[in-house]
Amino acid sequence: MSLPKPAHMRRRFLLALPLLALAACGFEPVYGPGGAGTALQNRVLVDAPEDRFGYFLVREVESRLGRAATPRWGLALTTTTTEDGLAIDSEGNTRRYNLLGTTSYALRDLDSGQIVTSGKVESFTGYSATGTTVATRAAELDAQERLMVILADLVVSRLYAADLPQ
């Protein structure tokens, strides 16, 4: 006759099961020993921005990775944006815009000059043009900044997922 296991033991086993699965798949915490977060934190020199979009993108990337005092990596970012009118009223006025952005990135080892990882990320955001000229311009500027935040998050996530040499 086997005795039933107490409920708290079953619960502990069920909570530990996902951790065992992650350990078996090679999961490694970003900020753990040897993780990409540790390798990148305060060690990436982002190339100087060339325009307003680039400024906001660099600012957001540096806020996530820190500013490099002694850089090991260099990061090149190239961003392109386009704007599409979405909602057009019966008089032909565009009432809503979609702002589309693409950022290509390349992380290079500053010692060797070799590209370690590169790629491209894309996203979009929108804004309304139904208010005054000032309100529409404010909404447009806000959408531009939001798009750069999204693109920076995507770039940094890809860098964290990269297999960086130690």
Side-chain angles (χ1 to χ4, degrees):
M1 169 177 188
S2 72
L3 296 172
K5 293 183 180 176
H8 72 278
M9 290 181 72
R10 282 192 303 261
R11 198 173 16 242
R12 284 184 187 163
F13 175 74
L14 290 175
L15 289 173
L17 196 57
L19 295 175
L20 292 172
L22 285 175
C25 77
F27 172 77
E28 189 175 288
V30 169
Y31 288 107
T38 305
L40 294 172
Q41 194 65 40
N42 297 320
R43 307 220 30 228
V44 177
L45 178 63
V46 184
D47 293 353
E50 296 180 6
D51 58 11
R52 184 174 192 282
F53 290 109
Y55 167 78
F56 286 118
L57 184 65
V58 169
R59 181 186 73 182
E60 294 301 324
V61 168
E62 285 181 342
S63 75
R64 285 151 184 75
L65 297 178
R67 285 189 149 201
T70 55
R72 172 164 184 206
W73 314 101
L75 181 62
L77 300 168
T78 305
T79 301
T80 57
T81 60
T82 58
E83 190 173 74
D84 290 334
L86 292 179
I88 300 174
D89 65 15
S90 59
E91 297 172 7
N93 299 316
T94 304
R95 296 296 183 185
R96 183 147 188 87
Y97 290 92
N98 224 13
L99 185 61
L100 309 162
T102 302
T103 296
S104 298
Y105 63 92
L107 185 71
R108 66 192 178 281
D109 186 322
L110 291 177
D111 293 334
S112 67
Q114 294 280 354
I115 301 291
V116 177
T117 187
S118 63
K120 180 169 67 168
V121 295
E122 299 175 313
S123 194
F124 70 95
T125 189
Y127 67 94
S128 174
T130 58
T132 65
T133 304
V134 172
T136 299
R137 180 66 178 150
E140 179 183 14
L141 295 174
D142 181 63
Q144 292 171 355
E145 285 189 49
R146 284 184 286 124
L147 180 60
M148 294 305 111
V149 168
I150 294 166
L151 292 172
D153 285 340
L154 292 170
V155 168
V156 171
S157 294
R158 296 275 178 94
L159 293 177
Y160 284 159
D163 187 22
L164 301 176
Q166 294 300 323

